[in-house]
């Protein structure tokens, strides 16, 4: 799909270049959600996991908070809530539309989340405060995104790999 701004393009291109072979980066998809759709900026698909990424190019100094974030003193919505919702919606749709996904999930250790949400901040000179308060590995500077997503993926059980072709077919079919 089309990029929504230069930050999204920069992020997608960097992830594509840096992630291991066999990973895919899909941009600009909308997933149905009740009466509307949820925008997915970037979906990163490894052999065992799916990472829904909300890209923000909000500026060099970002103060993260549970309710609001501040960029150059200006209040912004918390994008973690947005990407968490998007990841839940996508996980539900995958469960419904990718044959075998539900059974494969049941074979994994209890509490394993194969689809997770992350905010990637793409400013080159990012000064990020309080991101750790929102959970480990949820808010990622672009410079750390590949290493973090790869480590999260490598910690996942390997039970989903056989469903990857059906998963990719579903994701690519989204508009």
């Amino acid at each position: 799909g089309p990029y929504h701004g230069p930050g999204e393009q920069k992020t997608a291109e960097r992830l594509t270049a840096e992630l291991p072979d066999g990973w895919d980066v899909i941009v600009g998809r909308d997933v149905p959600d009740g009466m509307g759709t949820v925008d997915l900026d970037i979906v990163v698909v490894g052999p065992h996991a799916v990472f829904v990424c909300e890209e923000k190019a909000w500026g060099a100094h970002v103060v993260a908070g549970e309710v609001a974030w501040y960029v150059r003193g200006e209040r912004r919505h918390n994008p973690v809530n947005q990407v968490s919702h998007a990841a839940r919606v996508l996980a539900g749709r995958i469960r419904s539309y990718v044959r075998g996904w539900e059974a494969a999930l049941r074979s994994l250790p209890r509490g394993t989340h194969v689809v997770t949400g992350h905010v990637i901040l793409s400013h080159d000179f990012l000064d990020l405060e309080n991101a750790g308060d929102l959970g480990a590995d949820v808010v990622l500077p672009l410079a750390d995104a590949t290493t973090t997503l790869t480590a999260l993926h490598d910690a996942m059980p390997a039970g989903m790999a056989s469903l990857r072709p059906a998963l990719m077919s579903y994701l690519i079919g989204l508009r």
Side-chain angles (χ1 to χ4, degrees):
Y3 297 112
H4 296 160
E8 197 170 294
Q9 182 173 357
K10 175 173 81 170
T11 299
E13 289 175 353
R14 182 162 177 179
L15 291 171
T16 299
E18 293 180 357
L19 286 165
D21 289 343
W23 288 53
D24 286 289
V25 177
I26 302 167
V27 299
R29 293 296 191 257
D30 290 320
V31 62
D33 177 30
M35 299 296 287
T37 59
V38 173
D39 173 53
L40 306 176
D41 283 357
I42 300 169
V43 180
V44 177
V45 184
H48 317 303
V50 178
F51 304 100
V52 177
C53 301
E54 176 67 21
E55 183 278 330
K56 296 295 181 195
W58 277 353
H61 185 241
V62 177
V63 180
E66 287 184 35
V67 176
W69 290 27
Y70 291 87
V71 180
R72 292 182 300 275
E74 178 183 317
R75 183 182 167 109
R76 306 271 175 102
H77 72 279
N78 176 352
V80 171
N81 297 335
Q82 177 184 348
V83 77
S84 296
H85 174 72
R88 282 191 306 274
V89 169
L90 181 61
R93 299 297 286 196
I94 291 170
R95 238 185 337 270
S96 296
Y97 290 97
V98 176
R99 185 183 310 265
W101 191 267
E102 186 79 45
L105 283 176
R106 284 194 299 270
S107 75
L108 300 178
R110 185 180 177 101
T112 300
H113 295 283
V114 177
V115 180
T116 57
H118 306 272
V119 175
I120 298 179
L121 299 172
S122 63
H123 195 282
D124 289 328
F125 303 102
L126 182 64
D127 175 18
L128 177 60
E129 294 181 36
N130 303 339
D133 296 349
L134 301 173
D137 303 322
V138 175
V139 180
L140 310 174
L142 178 55
D144 300 339
T146 300
T147 302
T148 302
L149 295 179
T150 303
L152 290 170
H153 178 271
D154 290 348
M156 287 277 177
M160 307 308 281
S162 66
L163 298 171
R164 197 170 187 286
L167 170 65
M168 289 303 298
S169 179
Y170 173 73
L171 293 173
I172 290 169
L174 294 172
R175 294 284 174 242

